[in-house]
Amino acid sequence: HPDTISGNAAISACSAKRQWTLALQLLLEMRFCRAEPNLISHTGAARAFETEGQWELVMRLMGKLDEAGLTLDAMAYTAATNALQSQERWELVVKLLHEMRRRLVEVDRFNFNA
């Protein structure tokens, strides 16, 4: 059974190879195998979704992270804004940038490039 660290590494590899469906499968399997996905797991999956324009999945994932009480970091927001930007979902990009500001997440040049 994969533990969280090996699961994160596998999800990161999927992200690098633009394999968003495999990243999603690994994320779900981690829960099934009782390896608790963390912010790194979810951000890696979000980056995999981002590369293929799967903005709906990124937004759903962001919501689940928030529901779980995990503090979203700049990397998670960057993955989300990039996915939204690639599909020209500008109103949602602006919404996320406002949310980042409200939550005191540091906005960096990657977010503003979106």
Side-chain angles (χ1 to χ4, degrees), residues 41-106:
S41 315
H42 288 88
T43 301
R47 284 196 318 264
F49 303 156
E50 163 207 336
T51 60
E52 295 301 311
Q54 299 295 321
W55 68 271
E56 295 100 338
L57 288 174
V58 173
M59 295 305 291
R60 217 175 296 150
L61 194 58
M62 296 282 286
K64 290 205 179 286
L65 289 171
D66 194 41
E67 289 170 13
L70 294 172
T71 302
L72 300 172
D73 63 5
M75 286 182 60
Y77 279 104
T78 299
T81 55
N82 286 344
L84 293 167
Q85 178 269 331
S86 72
Q87 300 301 305
E88 298 183 358
R89 303 295 303 203
W90 305 115
E91 70 283 357
L92 293 174
V93 171
V94 171
K95 180 180 175 184
L96 284 182
L97 290 172
H98 285 293
E99 183 178 312
M100 289 177 71
R101 186 177 205 178
R102 183 177 54 80
R103 292 181 181 212
L104 304 176
V105 175
E106 188 174 325

Side-chain angles (χ1 to χ4, degrees), residues 102-113:
R102 183 177 54 80
R103 292 181 181 212
L104 304 176
V105 175
E106 188 174 325
V107 177
D108 59 23
R109 65 186 171 92
F110 297 108
N111 300 112
F112 276 117
N113 283 342

Side-chain angles (χ1 to χ4, degrees), residues 14-58:
C14 291
S15 176
K17 295 295 183 180
R18 303 175 66 132
Q19 298 293 318
W20 72 269
T21 54
L22 189 54
L24 178 59
Q25 182 179 352
L26 287 168
L27 190 62
L28 296 172
E29 284 182 16
M30 284 178 72
R31 291 183 191 275
F32 181 75
C33 295
R34 299 191 177 141
E36 192 60 39
N38 57 20
L39 184 61
I40 296 168
S41 315
H42 288 88
T43 301
R47 284 196 318 264
F49 303 156
E50 163 207 336
T51 60
E52 295 301 311
Q54 299 295 321
W55 68 271
E56 295 100 338
L57 288 174
V58 173

